[in-house]
Amino acid sequence: MSKTATLNLRVDPDVKERAENVLSRLGVPMSTAINVYLTQISLTGSIPFRIALPEAPDELNADLMSPEQLYSELMKGVEDAEKGRLKVSEDVLNQFYKGSDE
């Protein structure tokens, strides 16, 4: 069995750069991260993480909005801010993690 094999992959340059930044901060070379990923696939017989569509409703998914719809939703947020209809982010996150609808 050979000690190494070569993979030639085409990936989105932005995705690659962001991944390299994270891996660099972790002190993990890209080749090691790919090897870990492939090892997990071979050990589990599956992709080692959940692959799913976003859980947000389509009407809240900015990727599915037209530029006009996105602009309209953003302007609603600006209007709320201008009228003082705001919530403290810490309170919102605490409520989210508690699962409360208060």
Side-chain angles (χ1 to χ4, degrees):
M1 184 164 117
S2 71
K3 295 208 179 240
T4 62
T6 302
L7 293 176
N8 292 312
L9 307 169
R10 294 187 183 272
V11 297
D12 181 299
D14 293 332
V15 171
K16 179 180 179 278
E17 183 179 348
R18 291 192 310 264
E20 285 174 330
N21 289 337
V22 171
L23 292 170
S24 173
R25 290 173 53 204
L26 294 171
V28 177
M30 178 72 73
S31 60
T32 300
I34 297 298
N35 194 49
V36 167
Y37 175 68
L38 295 175
T39 299
Q40 285 300 304
I41 290 173
S42 67
L43 289 172
T44 64
S46 66
I47 298 212
F49 49 82
R50 183 172 177 250
I51 299 176
L53 294 172
E55 294 181 17
D58 286 353
E59 62 270 10
L60 298 178
N61 187 339
D63 291 334
L64 301 177
M65 292 181 187
S66 69
E68 295 79 18
Q69 289 171 310
L70 182 57
Y71 179 80
S72 174
E73 291 302 315
L74 290 171
M75 292 312 296
K76 287 178 189 176
V78 169
E79 182 180 325
D80 283 345
E82 289 173 344
K83 292 186 177 182
R85 295 187 297 240
L86 304 171
K87 292 184 178 183
V88 177
S89 60
E90 184 177 6
D91 295 343
V92 172
L93 288 173
N94 286 335
Q95 183 178 347
F96 173 77
Y97 289 121
K98 289 179 185 174
S100 173
D101 290 326
E102 296 174 20

